[in-house]
Amino acid sequence: MENIKNIIESLLLVTEEPLTIDRIKNILIEPGRKEVHNALTELSAEYEARKGGFLLREVAGGYQIRTRPEYREWIKRLIQPKPLRLSKAALETLAIIAYKQPIIRSDIEHIRGVNCGGILRMLLERKLIRILGRKEIPGRPIIYATTKQFLETFDLKDLKDLPTPEEIATLGDASLENME
Amino acid sequence: MENIKNIIESLLLVTEEPLTIDRIKNILIEPGRKEVHNALTELSAEYEARKGGFLLREVAGGYQIRTRPEYREWIKRLIQPKPLRLSKAALETLAIIAYKQPIIRSDIEHIRGVNCGGILRMLLERKLIRILGRKEIPGRPIIYATTKQFLETFDLKDLKDLPTPEEIATLGDASLENME
Amino acid sequence: MQADIYNVQIDDIFEGPMDLLLHLIKKHEVDIYDIPIALITKQYLEYIEWMKIMNIDIAGDFIVMASTLTKIKSRMLLPSHEEEDEDPRLELVKPIEEYLRMKSAAEKLAARTLLGEDTFVRNPRLEDHLMDHEAEIIPVGLFELIDAFQKILENISPHERVNITADTISVRDKIVQIVEIFETRGSTTFNELFPKDAEQSEVIVTFLAILEMVKLSLVRIIQNTRTGIIRLFYL
């Protein structure tokens, strides 16, 4: 098995967590610990010599391909969570639900003065709000509330930490700017 | 920015889906499309020259680092891949949608000669096809098309990259032979 | 009764009428542009008859094709009045051509280097790439953890605090539960492990379970200095 180094490289590329020498050894069957270790050392030296975008790290008892720390600012730009883009109307609706929950649609529409079926559907799809149940009054209207995702999106520990509606509005605008 | 190639390599290593040139360009700010494209070409050539465990593929409109197919058996020993395993019937249905899209169900069934509701549902669940909308004819049937995931799965740059089916002339043709 | 044994799905034999038709054409090695319609129709009907005898559930599609074949056959028998009359078999040839083209396309698709079958992509744990020298995220010490825990205890309503039931969850069971959360999501926030309506006893067990997991190096705990959110990662 001359290409043990290449096989190990392909394994390292696919794995989510650090690969231990024993794990690699078990996959490759033939080669022993020493050969695996040598191949890993060679790979590491190769990555160091070529000084590309990644390196081999020995971490948590195993080996892992990681990006070079000097490029972390670029990577942050890549994996930045997709900024939430909500229209003003959607933000208002969301704010009403957040502050007045549990709340039924007619109450939301009463506050906003406009129909908001489409917005509710969009907020549900984005998992920012959820259906809590139905109110036991004539027509059994749906009761809405915010979700855990809502808290995470707005970086809130819990609902008590809710900023004022004005603050939410600026948050939305900031995300909008980051998008460009 | 002399190390644009290295930065792109680190980005490619982190991303989960193919990175488009535009996306890379936006992250890197300074370089233009051409520089990004050149860097990608260089990276690809480099991976080819070193013949390691991975290569660079242009797929679904973007670029992605993938393991070399020759090491597939080893990787399968490492991870339990979600097997693609499409039945002949599913593959045929998928091919019809890919080549004839946008297409409605009755047209698919007309070509295959059989009902394919179950297959469509399965292909939808596996995100290989998607619902494009409804055709404004009586019954407003659903229109189907393939997804980005389809391109990624079948290693296609875009829909134009689809292999041309053999023109069927006479019996004894390869397709007929392979029927069983 | 006995017939039930032979109740076979049609898919096992022929996917559909087109496949049966192609099977017959292939069997007799005939040109699809010059199909001996009488012979093929006869055999097609025999197959359907055989399927019926075998108690195979025949889909309507097979019957439709049978009637198409019969119709073409009868039209072939009629004397053609004009030279430019279209060959009735064209009605069959075009769909067969199309079907064969799509079959060939399907084969070509299947022969490509398939993702998840022949080639694989990286499945990065994004936090690993950001963790290195990450200034904003600090490993959490025991004191921070206890602070957070005290906050959670404060949030439990007095009503819940006295309501301690007999069937409390043991620390070991709790570890299993937490591991299950990790296995589906990879990480969780500290607060998520303590539901708002949890009883005090369960909160304590959860906390003990987390401490035990830290001791066993099962989890890594980090805190975002900006938001104060404590996150647990499964190692």
Side-chain angles (χ1 to χ4, degrees):
Chain A
M1 192 146 43
E2 70 215 45
N3 47 12
I4 158 172
K5 222 173 65 186
N6 292 344
I7 299 173
I8 293 177
E9 185 173 78
S10 72
L11 294 175
L12 285 167
L13 194 88
V14 165
T15 183
E16 270 173 271
E17 39 201 45
L19 276 184
T20 62
I21 290 186
D22 281 331
R23 185 83 196 280
I24 299 172
K25 188 176 80 77
N26 286 340
I27 290 168
L28 299 190
I29 314 165
E30 273 178 57
R33 282 184 64 85
K34 208 180 148 215
E35 279 136 300
V36 172
H37 186 266
N38 288 347
L40 284 164
T41 311
E42 272 178 51
L43 276 177
S44 179
E46 210 176 292
Y47 298 163
E48 277 317 303
R50 82 184 265 280
K51 284 247 176 292
F54 55 85
L55 39 73
L56 191 69
R57 280 280 299 266
E58 196 180 340
V59 63
Y63 290 80
Q64 194 174 40
I65 289 180
R66 289 196 178 183
T67 53
R68 287 192 173 271
E70 50 262 51
Y71 303 127
R72 75 173 162 275
E73 292 310 322
W74 303 105
I75 288 165
K76 268 197 214 165
R77 289 175 58 89
L78 170 73
I79 63 180
Q80 228 170 35
K82 280 193 204 92
L84 180 71
R85 193 184 194 176
L86 291 177
S87 67
K88 238 184 97 163
L91 261 172
E92 277 176 28
T93 310
L94 190 58
I96 292 166
I97 297 169
Y99 284 88
K100 306 277 183 183
Q101 63 188 303
I103 187 168
I104 60 171
R105 177 166 160 184
S106 61
D107 288 349
I108 301 167
E109 292 179 343
H110 182 76
I111 296 172
R112 289 199 56 233
V114 284
N115 178 300
C116 57
I119 290 172
L120 287 176
R121 201 164 48 244
M122 184 274 285
L123 292 174
L124 278 171
E125 264 167 21
R126 293 202 171 187
K127 297 198 167 50
L128 290 169
I129 63 169
R130 68 204 165 102
I131 290 169
L132 213 59
R134 285 181 180 278
K135 200 163 175 173
E136 291 306 333
I137 57 170
R140 301 186 70 240
I142 293 170
I143 306 166
Y144 296 96
T146 54
T147 58
K148 209 183 284 173
Q149 168 113 44
F150 166 80
L151 293 178
E152 272 178 20
T153 305
F154 290 90
D155 227 352
L156 296 167
K157 266 183 259 182
D158 55 42
L159 287 171
K160 285 196 309 261
D161 287 357
L162 264 180
T164 62
E166 290 87 334
E167 285 173 297
I168 295 180
T170 38
L171 217 159
D173 288 341
S175 311
L176 221 61
E177 274 159 38
N178 285 343
M179 270 206 41
E180 308 312 317
Chain B
M1 195 145 42
E2 72 215 47
N3 47 12
I4 158 172
K5 217 175 67 186
N6 293 343
I7 298 173
I8 293 177
E9 183 172 78
S10 71
L11 295 175
L12 285 167
L13 203 78
V14 168
T15 183
E16 272 172 278
E17 40 190 49
L19 274 184
T20 63
I21 290 186
D22 281 333
R23 183 87 197 280
I24 298 172
K25 189 176 81 73
N26 286 341
I27 290 168
L28 299 190
I29 314 163
E30 275 178 56
R33 281 184 63 86
K34 208 179 147 217
E35 281 139 296
V36 171
H37 185 266
N38 288 346
L40 284 164
T41 311
E42 273 179 49
L43 276 177
S44 179
E46 209 176 293
Y47 297 164
E48 276 317 303
R50 78 183 268 279
K51 284 247 178 292
F54 53 84
L55 38 73
L56 189 68
R57 293 292 306 166
E58 193 181 344
V59 65
Y63 290 80
Q64 193 171 42
I65 288 180
R66 292 187 171 190
T67 57
R68 288 191 171 271
E70 49 262 51
Y71 303 126
R72 66 175 79 93
E73 294 311 323
W74 303 105
I75 290 166
K76 281 184 190 165
R77 288 176 59 88
L78 172 71
I79 55 169
Q80 237 65 60
K82 288 168 252 152
L84 182 66
R85 295 246 166 275
L86 291 176
S87 67
K88 237 174 66 174
L91 257 170
E92 283 172 23
T93 310
L94 189 58
I96 292 168
I97 297 169
Y99 285 86
K100 308 277 177 182
Q101 62 188 305
I103 187 168
I104 60 172
R105 175 165 161 185
S106 61
D107 287 345
I108 301 166
E109 292 179 343
H110 183 76
I111 295 174
R112 290 199 56 237
V114 282
N115 179 302
C116 57
I119 292 172
L120 287 175
R121 198 165 51 245
M122 184 273 286
L123 292 174
L124 279 170
E125 269 165 23
R126 300 177 81 164
K127 296 198 167 51
L128 291 169
I129 61 169
R130 68 204 163 104
I131 290 169
L132 210 63
R134 285 182 181 280
K135 198 164 176 174
E136 291 306 333
I137 57 170
R140 302 186 74 238
I142 290 172
I143 305 168
Y144 296 94
T146 54
T147 58
K148 217 171 110 189
Q149 169 106 47
F150 164 77
L151 294 177
E152 282 182 44
T153 305
F154 287 90
D155 194 19
L156 297 164
K157 275 184 228 182
D158 48 48
L159 285 175
K160 286 191 300 255
D161 199 23
L162 273 174
T164 1
E166 311 258 342
E167 290 300 324
I168 310 305
T170 47
L171 184 85
D173 211 285
S175 301
L176 213 55
E177 294 291 315
N178 292 339
M179 248 195 57
E180 306 310 321
Chain C
M1 272 300 156
Q2 213 194 345
D4 286 351
I5 303 165
Y6 301 107
N7 213 328
V8 190
Q9 273 289 307
I10 192 75
D11 298 19
D12 299 342
I13 305 165
F14 294 109
E15 173 62 34
M18 278 295 212
D19 274 315
L20 173 52
L21 194 60
L22 284 175
H23 168 79
L24 295 175
I25 291 172
K26 195 187 161 203
K27 197 171 123 190
H28 293 285
E29 295 183 6
V30 294
D31 189 337
I32 63 165
Y33 296 104
D34 189 20
I35 299 170
I37 203 79
L39 173 73
I40 297 294
T41 306
K42 182 171 160 278
Q43 295 225 337
Y44 185 95
L45 294 173
E46 276 170 11
Y47 262 90
I48 290 196
E49 211 44 52
W50 172 78
M51 286 180 197
K52 275 184 193 155
I53 293 164
M54 296 299 284
N55 225 357
I56 294 167
D57 201 16
I58 299 169
D61 309 314
F62 280 88
I63 311 296
V64 173
M65 177 63 85
S67 68
T68 307
L69 285 171
T70 319
K71 192 180 73 192
I72 294 171
K73 194 181 102 179
S74 57
R75 275 171 58 198
M76 293 287 285
L77 293 174
L78 294 173
S80 177
H81 293 299
E82 296 184 29
E83 272 300 299
E84 59 268 34
D85 257 8
E86 209 181 43
D87 186 337
R89 291 176 297 179
L90 269 180
E91 190 185 336
L92 213 52
V93 172
K94 289 223 173 88
I96 289 176
E97 272 186 308
E98 182 74 343
Y99 186 56
L100 281 177
R101 243 196 309 275
M102 288 302 116
K103 263 182 132 33
S104 141
E107 278 161 24
K108 287 205 166 171
L109 278 179
R112 295 185 65 82
T113 37
L114 303 180
L115 182 64
E117 199 64 51
D118 305 312
T119 177
F120 299 84
V121 291
R122 198 165 159 77
N123 216 340
R125 286 207 303 192
L126 297 180
E127 65 266 26
D128 283 340
H129 292 279
L130 285 181
M131 205 71 76
D132 286 336
H133 316 284
E134 186 57 71
E136 276 178 31
I137 292 172
I138 51 155
V140 169
L142 204 54
F143 290 117
E144 284 90 339
L145 210 58
I146 290 167
D147 280 347
F149 180 58
Q150 273 170 347
K151 254 184 232 161
I152 285 164
L153 277 184
E154 279 164 20
N155 286 338
I156 296 174
S157 70
H159 171 70
E160 295 284 359
R161 225 173 285 178
V162 287
N163 184 10
I164 296 172
T165 52
D167 56 332
T168 48
I169 312 163
S170 76
V171 172
R172 211 195 307 167
D173 285 344
K174 196 74 208 178
I175 290 178
V176 173
Q177 280 179 23
I178 296 174
V179 166
E180 273 167 8
I181 295 175
F182 281 133
E183 272 166 358
T184 50
R185 284 190 289 154
S187 83
T188 173
T189 66
F190 186 68
N191 283 25
E192 271 177 275
L193 293 174
F194 300 94
K196 282 267 162 352
D197 55 353
E199 288 167 10
Q200 193 177 29
S201 60
E202 201 200 327
V203 169
I204 290 166
V205 167
T206 305
F207 188 62
L208 290 176
I210 294 171
L211 288 184
E212 188 64 24
M213 289 175 84
V214 171
K215 214 169 78 187
L216 294 170
S217 306
L218 285 174
V219 288
R220 175 176 52 192
I221 304 179
I222 54 148
Q223 181 172 32
N224 189 313
T225 48
R226 197 164 45 84
T227 61
I229 289 176
I230 296 176
R231 209 162 244 289
L232 281 74
F233 293 93
Y234 193 38
L235 290 177

